Amino acid sequence: MEVIIQPDADRAATLAARLIAARLRDKPDLVLGLATGRTMERVYARLAEMHEGGGLDFSRAQSFNLDEYIGLSARDERSYRHYMNRHLFARVNIDLAHTHLLDGTAPDLKAEAVRYEALIRTAGGIDLQLLGIGEAGHIGFNEPLSALMSRTRDKALTPTTLKQNAAMFGGDLEKVPKRALTMGVGTILDARELLVLVTGAAKAEILARAVEGPITAMVSASAIQLHPSCKVIADEDAAGRLRGRDYYDWIFRNEPEWAAFRD
Ligand code: F6R
């Protein structure tokens, strides 16, 4: 794992977007794993700008999102399908037929989870999985005690997550769906590369536990320590509780793979 710390949330998101763009240029038929949430809005804005500027082609890319609320249809503006269309898909030249999300209205949720896993396999697996970390320590909606080998399934959300996401539902906790479909921790770890973006002081404690704490199902984000190719990008506020800071900064300043991203 490598941890790269940037001065602010904007610079952190820009670096994440530049990394995604570099992977897409190297492999135009990249299979991208995508996340939603506030942290990612800036990343998608940067990617859209790069596309609009003529420098980024999504025409052969495919995408798989991590999760979707149960009970919200794609037409519901609070659904993650709607979020993705708004923030990214409508702004770049990706083929909508190549963008995949779990269907939160599927009549048989287990069958929907099996279908999604099969679809990822058929696509050849995910090349690059983008991840945020929730205040409950989740990646995707893998709430505490999610098995580290879990696969795509439905999951009950914790009160911490319901509170974190209430803003999208007019601040009304009662309106936040209580369950979601999510890729499992094991599904996420199958991706060939992980890119984790974490910003803001509210995430400082959980980021330190995920990156430097013990690997535990209580913090599903700590499973990223098991992945052989994982990059974490954080802003100063989120990095405030990390102990290995000096070494992380040294890596960014000195390792050749980061040379193109240092300015
Ligand atoms: C969303 C997702 C979640 C978020 C996490 C952080 O698809 O998978 O794990 O990445 O909850 O959300 P924000 O960025 O809103 O703090």
Side-chain angles (χ1 to χ4, degrees), residues 31-99:
V31 181
L32 265 169
L34 297 174
T36 57
R38 273 153 298 180
T39 315
M40 300 306 159
E41 290 178 13
R42 283 187 170 97
V43 178
Y44 298 142
R46 292 298 90 75
L47 289 172
E49 285 159 16
M50 288 181 205
H51 168 71
E52 286 154 10
L56 203 56
D57 176 19
F58 286 82
S59 62
R60 294 175 56 201
Q62 288 194 67
S63 70
F64 288 90
N65 265 79
L66 284 165
D67 39 22
E68 180 61 280
Y69 288 115
I70 291 173
L72 297 193
S73 80
R75 279 183 307 281
D76 190 313
E77 61 185 25
R78 300 158 309 175
S79 71
Y80 285 163
R81 161 55 81 179
H82 205 279
Y83 170 107
M84 288 310 305
N85 288 349
R86 208 162 59 239
H87 288 286
L88 186 67
F89 301 153
R91 300 189 58 191
V92 299
N93 64 334
I94 198 163
D95 181 345
L96 269 189
H98 293 163
T99 65

Side-chain angles (χ1 to χ4, degrees), residues 34-41 44 65-68 80 83-84 129-142 161 164-165 168 182 188 197 199 203:
L34 297 174
T36 57
R38 273 153 298 180
T39 315
M40 300 306 159
E41 290 178 13
Y44 298 142
N65 265 79
L66 284 165
D67 39 22
E68 180 61 280
Y80 285 163
Y83 170 107
M84 288 310 305
Q129 176 67 56
L130 185 58
L131 296 168
I133 299 183
E135 287 165 33
H138 64 212
I139 44 176
F141 272 139
N142 290 287
T161 298
Q164 182 195 303
N165 291 354
M168 269 94 72
T182 179
I188 293 169
L197 177 63
T199 59
K203 303 278 179 70

Side-chain angles (χ1 to χ4, degrees), residues 202-224:
K203 303 278 179 70
E205 171 70 27
I206 202 67
L207 178 64
R209 289 177 69 192
V211 168
E212 297 175 338
I215 297 172
T216 166
M218 279 303 287
V219 180
S220 70
S222 66
I224 63 175

